[in-house]
Amino acid sequence: MAVIVLGSGVAGWAVYMKLDGNITPDDAAAAELARYAKERPTSLVKDATNVLVIGSDSRSGDGNEEYGRDLGSERSDTTILLHLAAGRRSATAVSLPRDLMVDVPGCRRPDGTHTEPMFTMFNYAFQAGGSACTIRTVEKLTGVRIDHHVVVDFSGFKDMVDAVDGVEVCLSEPISDKAARLRLPAGKVTLDGEQALGYVRARKSLGNGSDTGRMDRQQRFLGALVNKVQSNDVLLNPVKLYPVLDAATSSLTTDPDLASLRGLYELVRGLRNIPTEHVQFLTVPRESYVYNANRDQLVEPEAEKLFDRLRTDTPVMVSRELPTKSAPSESVGHGPYRPPAANGTAHEAVSPSPPVPTFRGNTAAEDGCG
């Protein structure tokens, strides 16, 4: 986009400067993370990139007041750890439940005071210390180095959906939800920005009312959005791309390295070539917290297996239905039989490779209608 508008002369330069100036740099978070540089994990694989995407439930700002009163605080309504593999061969988006019980470190509040470290719900981190506190919490939980972060609010989400002329989803049953402002038929339906916001935020009246069900809908919606952008050649058509960029950049707060068109371009230029079947969505393995059924806790060792694959840039496999566990074979650990070598000595036994873990999730290529 930068090359296109720069090639269009003075008018193009004005467009470029407008878009470039839309993005808000999160300088405060960068300064706070620099104070804790020694405690942060290191990146293990060159060119692999991890981006923390935070959906803020703030009611402040233009267009957000209609979703509730501004009480002077905000929490992370949605948090997704996006792993972009080296060579951009795949993209894996991992949802982190807002009610997950985690260790939140001591963080600096906006007024300069500090919170105490505590074991509490994950979304408290954003309320306590903004994006820097959330990043430190995620890094402590996963051991994954966060390279970039993006914060988007309600209004910005709606604008981006409207900029691509809506997103088609598949509903297994009709939706009638007054609180979410939704009344939709079953089957395939195209959601505008307002409808999409209600669809991804609704919890009590859709599915089983859990936050897990809501995260599943968010993942399916993001997959549909990826399909819409790729199928309509938005990334290759300046006329279609400009309104998307204008809506996106106007709603984003990012780390300073991403807070420019050039920074965003460097991040996403390889994404347009990733096949939709290699764009994956899943929720971190979780279960009800042992002391409170309304909270979540990690399922181990499955969660650590996922985090290890993200740290080492090892491919992640997802499936809507996890395979049933079979009984171990008697030969497990002994390897296949091999005849003696020509000199009469036995070959060294070869242990079988450990099975590749599969996580419950879906890809952007899958249609919710089945």
Side-chain angles (χ1 to χ4, degrees):
M1 182 60 181
V3 173
I4 293 169
V5 296
L6 284 174
S8 301
V10 176
W13 177 251
V15 170
Y16 177 88
M17 292 302 294
K18 177 185 184 302
L19 295 175
D20 196 62
N22 282 348
I23 309 169
T24 303
D26 198 348
D27 295 319
E32 184 67 4
L33 291 173
R35 295 187 181 97
Y36 296 93
K38 293 183 179 180
E39 74 174 30
R40 301 183 64 194
T42 57
S43 299
L44 300 180
V45 180
K46 184 180 180 180
D47 191 41
T49 303
N50 298 298
V51 184
L52 197 66
V53 182
I54 303 170
S56 167
D57 70 354
S58 173
R59 270 66 171 181
S60 63
D62 294 340
N64 294 319
E65 65 281 351
E66 61 184 291
Y67 302 104
R69 292 181 300 163
D70 178 14
L71 301 178
S73 65
E74 54 183 330
R75 296 197 182 192
S76 49
D77 202 51
T78 299
T79 304
I80 295 174
L81 173 55
L82 175 62
H83 176 75
L84 306 176
R88 299 302 180 259
R89 64 183 183 273
S90 66
T92 302
V94 181
S95 295
L96 300 173
R98 54 180 287 174
D99 297 333
L100 186 67
M101 298 300 293
V102 298
D103 289 309
V104 177
C107 296
R108 182 192 294 264
R109 296 190 183 97
D111 62 5
T113 61
H114 284 79
T115 64
E116 294 295 325
M118 66 178 67
F119 184 69
T120 184
M121 290 193 303
F122 171 66
N123 70 343
Y124 170 75
F126 194 70
Q127 179 188 23
S131 51
C133 190
T134 300
I135 290 169
R136 291 177 59 214
T137 300
V138 171
E139 290 183 338
K140 182 179 180 67
L141 178 71
T142 66
V144 174
R145 172 77 177 210
I146 303 301
D147 303 296
H148 300 289
H149 69 276
V150 175
V151 182
V152 60
D153 60 22
F154 293 155
S155 180
F157 175 84
K158 291 192 307 179
D159 290 345
M160 283 188 283
V161 173
D162 287 333
V164 296
D165 296 325
V167 173
E168 183 181 79
V169 298
C170 191
L171 307 178
S172 59
E173 58 186 24
I175 296 177
S176 181
D177 188 313
K178 184 177 181 180
R181 308 177 188 180
L182 285 179
R183 189 175 182 86
L184 303 169
K188 292 186 177 181
V189 58
T190 299
L191 305 180
D192 62 22
E194 188 71 42
Q195 292 169 324
L197 182 62
Y199 177 73
V200 300
R201 294 193 67 235
R203 177 169 57 170
K204 295 182 179 180
S205 62
L206 297 182
N208 61 6
S210 69
D211 198 45
T212 301
R214 179 167 68 168
M215 287 186 293
D216 287 343
R217 286 198 310 277
Q218 291 171 352
Q219 292 164 10
R220 290 196 299 271
F221 182 85
L222 290 175
L225 178 59
V226 170
N227 262 318
K228 179 65 177 286
V229 170
Q230 289 196 350
S231 64
N232 281 23
D233 293 328
V234 171
L235 298 178
L236 301 176
N237 187 328
V239 176
K240 295 180 180 180
L241 182 59
Y242 175 77
V244 176
L245 284 178
D246 190 33
T249 55
S250 298
S251 65
L252 297 183
T253 298
T254 76
D255 58 278
D257 288 341
L258 281 188
S260 67
L261 279 183
R262 180 176 181 178
L264 288 176
Y265 172 75
E266 290 296 324
L267 177 68
V268 306
R269 64 177 175 175
L271 302 185
R272 67 186 183 192
N273 296 321
I274 299 178
T276 53
E277 60 268 23
H278 293 166
V279 179
Q280 305 176 119
F281 301 89
L282 68 151
T283 299
V284 64
R286 45 73 55 200
E287 62 187 359
S288 295
Y289 180 46
V290 65
Y291 298 113
N292 186 338
N294 294 319
R295 303 290 179 261
D296 291 328
Q297 65 184 25
L298 295 178
V299 174
E300 298 293 3
E302 285 77 7
E304 179 53 32
K305 290 179 180 178
L306 172 61
F307 299 150
D308 180 67
R309 299 184 85 80
L310 296 178
R311 287 192 295 266
T312 58
D313 195 34
T314 306
V316 174
M317 294 183 61
V318 300
S319 174
R320 285 191 178 183
E321 299 297 333
L322 293 182
T324 57
K325 295 183 179 180
S326 58
S329 167
E330 293 182 0
S331 64
V332 170
H334 299 284
Y337 169 78
R338 299 182 67 185
N343 59 6
T345 61
H347 288 287
E348 181 180 352
V350 178
S351 299
S353 300
V356 177
T358 301
F359 303 92
R360 185 176 181 275
N362 61 281
T363 71
E366 296 178 47
D367 187 338
C369 288

